Amino acid sequence: MNSKTFADAAPSVAFITLGCAKNEVDTAHMRRRLAQAGFALEEDPARAHAVVVNTCSFIQSATEESLEAVFDAAGLPNVAAGAPLVVAGCMPARYGEELSAELTEARAFVPCSREDDIAAVVAGALGLDGIPGGGRGSVAAGKEGIGEAVSAYVKISDGCDRFCSYCTIPFIRGRYRSFPYDEVRAEVAARVSEGVREIVLIAQDTGRWGTDLPQPSSLAWLVGALAEEFPDTWLRLMYLQPEGLTDELLDAVASHANVCDYFDIPLQHVDPAILRAMNRPGSRGEFEALVRRVRERIPNAALRTTLIAGFPGETDEQFEELCDFVEEGLFDYVGVFPYSREEGTRAFDLPGQVDEEEKADRAQRLRDASDAACAPRIAERTGRVMDVLVEGVEEDGQLFGRAMCQAPEVDGVTYLAAGRAGEVRSVTITGTLLYEMEGE
């Protein structure tokens, strides 16, 4: 393919996205910028004039998956024939010049901090003299990347100042910075205008939103303002650190029916010594008190957490305490990850590194304990009446959606007998199977 010759059509760009929901948001933004600049957006990477791989590099396994995706993209017929391959996102942000020297398959690199320049980078990779539309694409083109989804993620900040000893995010994304309210509101309004019925507010540290703005604000205020302006839209919060779960925020959630009674609170561990080694505050007693405070204010709130198994120095006794905490059944959902030793983090050189086999074994034991503790909580929903946002139809024709207690992609779905995508149906939960529910 001669990537500099496009006949009468605009050059097309396709994306391959790895990693978390925040990367999906970044891809959607880059797609909009390209569409507004006059590029065409292609869903099939094998048919595009240029291919962008938006990578994740949070942990080593994510980096390996991203590299595999880059190599796969390099083998596409169009790329092998000359279509440029652009590597974007976390991997070039983390590895910088080292990556560009080693990954010769890529024509250009776009770290997180340069994603706003994606149109110019792609134009340069294609050998164009300028951006196809001079950067003046139509507003309608800016809707590309969302499609007919009924749920959408909106980032309210980027970066992180916590410097947890195991985490690479501050080195990849930089210091914490809230996005101004007008910017967040405009993004929400754009997604709502496209028919999206649920907005999931995300960030590396959602609870800190507004504290660093010229006129300091709070997540509670943001949630209240958005809930009142968009009363027919569900709002959901993800990635709330424990200290971000303030009484003010609980009141904001409790007082707005369209804000999901759902709290995603990554704890990572419960032993004070392990938490200190992670450069995180807290203890088992503090976390138990936090859960009690949430449920006293919002009795039917759904709670999710994430935990790390096999952190350096974790003894058998400390791991058993973590399992015991999970077995209390305080949470509806628990995500479990084995510790990943990442170069450049303080935890990389900590003594007492746990071998890979033991980490995997502990993680599986913790997952099994989580399933055993969470399944009865899910089963308690049988007989309750819930609003369910209809999402679509599975390959076998089964209609499905999600209740407010189910976040996208991680908490299972609710199967329905009737409804259409984008509709909110009131259903009675008739049964559950682990994390899945049935409603009629």
Side-chain angles (χ1 to χ4, degrees):
M1 176 185 294
N2 183 349
S3 59
K4 296 182 182 181
T5 304
F6 306 104
D8 295 326
S12 61
V13 185
F15 278 81
I16 300 169
T17 303
L18 288 300
C20 67
K22 292 179 281 292
N23 264 21
E24 296 286 353
V25 174
D26 292 342
T27 289
H29 279 289
M30 287 189 281
R31 284 171 60 92
R32 291 187 200 105
R33 284 189 175 275
L34 287 165
Q36 290 167 344
F39 289 92
L41 296 175
E42 172 61 58
E43 294 301 323
D44 183 0
R47 300 180 50 157
H49 294 105
V51 178
V52 180
V53 181
N54 189 10
T55 61
C56 177
S57 193
F58 175 55
I59 56 177
Q60 187 60 35
S61 61
T63 300
E64 293 168 359
E65 184 181 359
S66 291
L67 284 170
E68 184 177 345
V70 171
F71 296 143
D72 287 346
L76 292 171
N78 53 329
V79 176
L85 177 61
V86 178
V87 176
C90 296
M91 204 160 65
R94 181 174 180 181
Y95 294 105
E97 294 300 322
E98 175 187 348
L99 185 69
S100 60
E102 296 291 333
L103 202 61
T104 56
E105 291 83 356
R107 187 84 58 86
F109 296 87
V110 184
C112 303
S113 60
R114 287 195 59 205
E115 287 174 352
D116 284 352
D117 302 329
I118 187 65
V121 172
V122 170
L126 285 166
L128 302 177
D129 293 332
I131 295 173
R136 298 187 298 274
S138 69
V139 174
K143 294 181 181 180
E144 292 288 350
I146 295 299
E148 298 179 358
V150 300
S151 178
Y153 295 98
V154 171
K155 282 208 303 186
I156 63 174
S157 70
D158 208 351
C160 186
D161 289 344
R162 290 183 176 274
F163 290 94
C164 297
S165 65
Y166 54 83
C167 185
T168 59
I169 289 297
F171 310 108
I172 295 172
R173 294 281 178 175
R175 302 303 294 265
Y176 185 88
R177 54 201 181 278
S178 299
F179 298 159
Y181 169 71
D182 288 345
E183 186 176 318
V184 174
R185 184 224 162 264
E187 184 74 9
V188 172
R191 304 290 77 77
V192 171
S193 72
E194 294 159 10
V196 166
R197 296 296 307 274
E198 177 189 44
I199 297 293
V200 185
L201 302 178
I202 57 172
Q204 271 76 32
D205 189 352
T206 310
R208 277 199 60 196
W209 183 87
T211 58
D212 60 327
L213 293 175
Q215 294 183 328
S217 188
S218 70
L219 180 62
W221 179 87
L222 174 67
V223 168
L226 293 175
E228 290 169 17
E229 182 172 358
F230 304 100
D232 296 324
T233 303
W234 286 9
L235 295 175
R236 185 184 302 275
L237 300 171
M238 300 292 287
Y239 315 125
L240 277 167
Q241 297 297 331
E243 55 268 40
L245 204 58
T246 63
D247 289 339
E248 181 188 15
L249 180 61
L250 289 175
D251 288 342
V253 173
S255 59
H256 294 92
N258 59 323
V259 180
C260 298
D261 294 344
Y262 181 99
F263 300 96
D264 172 36
I265 318 164
L267 300 180
Q268 313 304 8
H269 213 283
V270 298
D271 181 82
I274 294 293
L275 287 165
R276 283 195 298 273
M278 290 178 169
N279 194 36
R280 294 178 62 86
S283 67
R284 177 174 178 173
E286 291 176 60
F287 297 153
E288 289 168 340
L290 175 65
V291 171
R292 287 195 300 270
R293 183 162 61 88
V294 173
R295 295 206 186 279
E296 286 170 1
R297 185 69 180 86
I298 308 175
N300 289 324
L303 299 182
R304 160 174 279 278
T305 193
T306 51
L307 302 171
I308 295 174
F311 189 80
E314 183 186 62
T315 65
D316 289 341
E317 292 76 15
Q318 289 167 325
F319 174 69
E320 291 301 332
E321 182 185 17
L322 187 59
C323 289
D324 187 57
F325 173 74
V326 166
E327 289 167 358
E328 286 187 66
L330 301 176
F331 290 86
D332 300 84
Y333 312 100
V334 179
V336 176
F337 301 92
Y339 165 71
S340 179
R341 191 181 185 193
E342 299 298 318
E343 290 190 29
T345 63
R346 281 180 287 172
F348 184 84
D349 294 318
L350 286 178
Q353 297 285 335
V354 181
D355 69 58
E356 295 300 320
E357 184 177 350
E358 178 64 19
K359 284 192 292 189
D361 178 69
R362 290 185 184 184
Q364 189 56 55
R365 288 169 57 195
L366 196 55
R367 290 189 190 104
D368 292 342
S370 300
D371 288 344
C374 295
R377 290 197 59 86
I378 306 301
E380 288 175 1
R381 299 172 184 167
T382 302
R384 289 173 53 186
V385 176
M386 294 185 175
D387 285 341
V388 173
L389 175 60
V390 183
E391 290 199 288
V393 178
E394 294 186 339
E395 291 183 2
D396 62 0
Q398 173 64 60
L399 189 69
F400 72 95
R402 286 180 297 102
M404 283 191 169
C405 56
Q406 296 172 310
E409 303 174 27
V410 293
D411 295 335
V413 298
T414 300
Y415 295 110
L416 304 164
R420 54 187 175 80
E423 184 181 20
V424 175
R425 299 293 294 260
S426 180
V427 305
T428 299
I429 304 302
T430 58
T432 65
L433 179 60
L434 192 50
Y435 299 107
E436 314 291 352
M437 303 194 300
E438 292 183 351
E440 65 179 29

